[in-house]
């Protein structure tokens, strides 16, 4: 965008609408394809915002700004809520409207979104094997390798629990962050103490609730994705070579912050 004085800058200049609105190029000849393209492009924009907010939340956590971190995490939850509602729009695409354009998608799939994979990596769902699928895009692959090797949002939260004096196992604090996150008893004990004393640890309780809400929103987004796929293509294989609905059902079983869910079973129970 050409630099202009702020007093001369119009809305379309600031938002670069000429570039943004030139990206919706249909290839199938179907007059339903515009819906499909806009729905997926808008999702990518929201994923970009999610990545931005998650990074800021991690920075705030490392600076012990727990409430600002919780605010950013809450914003991520609201973004995911908006993304979830957007599936309702895509679900208006009937099967007989989608099938004629499907061959033009080739091997393209929404699950190939590297921003989506970055979000998963930042939330702890790390799978090194996924990265090979992006060898056609060196920039995306480099971003994913970086996200794989860096601690995620929950790692930052657990590190702060340790800094606040909670007894977190040292081996867990120094675990291999390239691996998917696994539940740990010492982390569960820390969260249980926080939840049993919410007034004493109000900022950490708020953080825990924010993380729980974020995961709930993410799972709701996944569920609505599953439902939208079922409505549009039924039990066919996914366009990107996945198993379609069985694959989506499988990912619903993967929890980002397991201890925050596990402790709810035993809170208030007298040993």
């Amino acid at each position: 965008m050409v630099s202009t004085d702020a007093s001369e800058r119009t809305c379309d200049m600031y938002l670069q609408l000429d570039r943004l609105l030139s990206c919706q190029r249909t290839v199938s000849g179907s007059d339903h394809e515009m819906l499909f393209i806009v729905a997926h492009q808008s999702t990518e924009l929201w994923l970009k915002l999610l990545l931005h907010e998650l990074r800021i939340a991690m920075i705030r956590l490392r600076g012990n700004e727990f409430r600002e971190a919780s605010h950013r995490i809450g914003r991520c939850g609201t973004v995911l809520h908006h993304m979830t509602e957007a599936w309702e729009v895509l679900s208006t695409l009937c099967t007989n409207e989608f099938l004629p354009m499907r061959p033009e998608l080739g091997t393209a799939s929404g699950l190939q979104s590297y921003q989506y994979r970055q979000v998963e990596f930042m939330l702890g769902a790390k799978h090194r094997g996924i990265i090979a699928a992006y060898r056609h895009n060196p920039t995306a692959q480099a971003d994913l390798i970086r996200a794989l090797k860096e601690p995620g949002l929950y790692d930052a939260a657990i590190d702060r629990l340790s800094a606040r004096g909670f007894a977190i196992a040292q081996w867990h604090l120094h675990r291999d962050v390239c691996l998917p996150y696994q539940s740990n008893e010492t982390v569960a004990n820390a969260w249980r103490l926080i939840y049993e004393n919410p007034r004493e640890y109000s900022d950490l309780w708020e953080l825990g609730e924010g993380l729980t809400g974020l995961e709930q929103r993410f799972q709701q987004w996944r569920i609505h994705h599953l439902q939208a796929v079922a409505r549009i293509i039924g039990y066919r294989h996914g366009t990107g070579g996945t198993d379609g609905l069985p694959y989506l059902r499988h990912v619903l079983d993967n929890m980002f912050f397991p201890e925050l869910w596990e402790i709810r079973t035993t809170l208030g129970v007298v040993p």
Side-chain angles (χ1 to χ4, degrees), residues 205-224:
W205 177 87
E206 185 178 338
L207 174 63
E209 284 296 277
L211 290 169
T212 305
L214 175 62
E215 177 152 7
Q216 182 177 3
R217 292 291 195 189
F218 199 96
Q219 293 288 46
Q220 288 170 345
W221 182 80
R222 282 172 162 173
I223 290 168
H224 278 70

Side-chain angles (χ1 to χ4, degrees), residues 39-51 83 87 107-122 125 127 130-131 133-134 136-137 139-141 143-144 147 218 221-222 225 239-240 242 247:
H40 285 82
Q41 286 185 346
S42 60
T43 294
E44 289 296 329
L45 288 173
W46 289 116
L47 286 170
K48 183 173 184 176
L49 179 60
L50 272 180
L51 289 168
M83 290 169 61
W87 285 119
T107 59
S109 167
L111 292 172
Q112 293 168 342
S113 165
Y114 65 89
Q115 288 197 121
Y116 170 74
R117 295 303 183 186
Q118 278 184 273
V119 170
E120 281 195 325
F121 280 14
M122 290 184 74
H127 300 282
I130 289 173
I131 297 175
Y134 300 90
H136 66 284
N137 187 337
T139 301
Q141 193 171 55
D143 287 342
L144 285 169
F218 199 96
W221 182 80
R222 282 172 162 173
H225 183 191
T239 51
T242 69
Y247 172 82

Side-chain angles (χ1 to χ4, degrees), residues 13-243:
M13 291 177 179
Y14 177 72
L15 296 178
Q16 301 188 60
L17 291 183
D18 56 339
R19 297 177 62 188
L20 181 64
L21 299 179
S22 67
C23 295
Q24 295 73 47
R25 300 175 182 176
T26 60
V27 295
S28 72
S30 168
D31 57 9
H32 299 287
E33 189 181 354
M34 185 62 71
L35 163 61
F36 189 83
I37 291 174
V38 169
H40 285 82
Q41 286 185 346
S42 60
T43 294
E44 289 296 329
L45 288 173
W46 289 116
L47 286 170
K48 183 173 184 176
L49 179 60
L50 272 180
L51 289 168
H52 171 78
E53 294 295 334
L54 287 171
R55 292 186 187 104
I56 298 299
M58 291 174 65
I59 291 171
R60 296 294 180 258
L61 275 177
R62 294 181 183 126
N64 294 317
E65 300 174 62
F66 293 98
R67 288 200 162 88
E68 176 61 18
S70 296
H71 172 60
R72 297 293 184 140
I73 291 169
R75 180 176 291 167
C76 289
T78 302
V79 170
L80 282 163
H81 176 69
H82 178 84
M83 290 169 61
T84 299
E85 293 298 312
W87 285 119
E88 298 296 323
V89 182
L90 190 61
S91 292
T92 66
L93 184 65
C94 301
T95 305
N96 60 334
E97 295 169 345
F98 175 68
L99 292 181
M101 75 175 78
R102 196 183 194 212
E104 297 299 331
L105 299 179
T107 59
S109 167
L111 292 172
Q112 293 168 342
S113 165
Y114 65 89
Q115 288 197 121
Y116 170 74
R117 295 303 183 186
Q118 278 184 273
V119 170
E120 281 195 325
F121 280 14
M122 290 184 74
L123 295 180
K126 296 186 176 182
H127 300 282
R128 187 187 298 271
I130 289 173
I131 297 175
Y134 300 90
R135 54 184 174 273
H136 66 284
N137 187 337
T139 301
Q141 193 171 55
D143 287 342
L144 285 169
I145 291 172
R146 190 179 306 110
L148 179 77
K149 294 180 178 180
E150 291 177 347
L153 176 67
Y154 198 45
D155 295 309
I158 293 170
D159 180 73
R160 292 300 86 196
L161 294 183
S162 176
R164 285 281 288 269
F166 293 94
I168 309 298
Q170 286 298 305
W171 68 264
H172 190 69
L173 289 172
H174 300 288
R175 70 183 188 86
D176 185 353
V177 297
C178 293
L179 300 175
Y181 184 83
Q182 299 291 326
S183 178
N184 177 266
E185 184 178 1
T186 61
V187 174
N189 289 339
W191 284 122
R192 185 177 295 107
L193 183 59
I194 291 165
Y195 271 74
E196 288 173 345
N197 301 276
R199 291 186 178 178
E200 181 179 354
Y201 304 110
S202 60
D203 54 345
L204 295 176
W205 177 87
E206 185 178 338
L207 174 63
E209 284 296 277
L211 290 169
T212 305
L214 175 62
E215 177 152 7
Q216 182 177 3
R217 292 291 195 189
F218 199 96
Q219 293 288 46
Q220 288 170 345
W221 182 80
R222 282 172 162 173
I223 290 168
H224 278 70
H225 183 191
L226 186 153
Q227 292 173 331
V229 169
R231 178 163 182 164
I232 297 171
I233 68 169
Y235 292 91
R236 291 177 173 86
H237 284 282
T239 51
T242 69
D243 292 331

